[in-house]
Amino acid sequence: MGDFQETGWRVAVCTELHRIEEQCAASAREQEEIVRLWRIVNMLLCSAAVLASGVAGSLVLASAPVPMAAGGLGMGATLLMALVCVVAPARRAGRAALSAKSYGALRTQARQAWQVDLNGQAFGEARQTLHQLTDRWDRVNDLALPTPRWARRRAEEEIMSTSVEEVMVGRMNDVLSIFPVQA
């Protein structure tokens, strides 16, 4: 393969690996935002259910003159617990956390592929590595919870805090690092 073709496919593969790394970083941040949301929802629903059941039980034991209030609070606590079971915020938080970890691991693999492996690989090996990463990325995407707009915006705000110049200098250094130095 000629030098020009060699350079061309290496830049193309490196660019694609960079794209996978960046998308995984953004997706991991988005999933972390979702984890925060579902943990808060879980805490609020469970706390409200415990509080309502405790007050209802206290009213019943105190032989309050308002048994309807105790019954209403008991029913409210039951409704809140049913809501916790149906919505399953703890399960959703766990699933989002697993997705965030998977995106993080995939990001690391993509970075290692272009920083360490790409320079010593032939075209077929690099293409196979890219194919394996893409397949794993698809599986992680299937596992991940859908990302609401607000979570995507918060993740983008974190990404945008890095200056454009830093990103471009880093990219240029990365592209130049995949080419062997000839003495």
Side-chain angles (χ1 to χ4, degrees), residues 25-35 147-148 151-152 155-156:
S27 296
R29 285 186 192 100
E30 292 167 5
Q31 292 297 311
E32 288 165 1
E33 291 295 328
I34 293 171
V35 168
T147 307
R152 186 167 286 126
E156 287 172 358

Side-chain angles (χ1 to χ4, degrees), residues 6-18 110-121 126 170-181:
E6 176 85 11
T7 301
W9 75 258
R10 284 191 189 279
V11 169
V13 170
C14 184
T15 302
E16 185 62 17
L17 291 170
H18 262 293
R111 185 175 47 252
Q112 288 173 349
W114 66 262
Q115 282 185 338
V116 178
D117 301 336
L118 184 60
N119 202 20
Q121 289 180 329
R171 285 266 176 96
M172 292 305 294
N173 287 335
D174 295 339
V175 169
L176 292 174
S177 71
I178 65 169
F179 298 106
V181 176

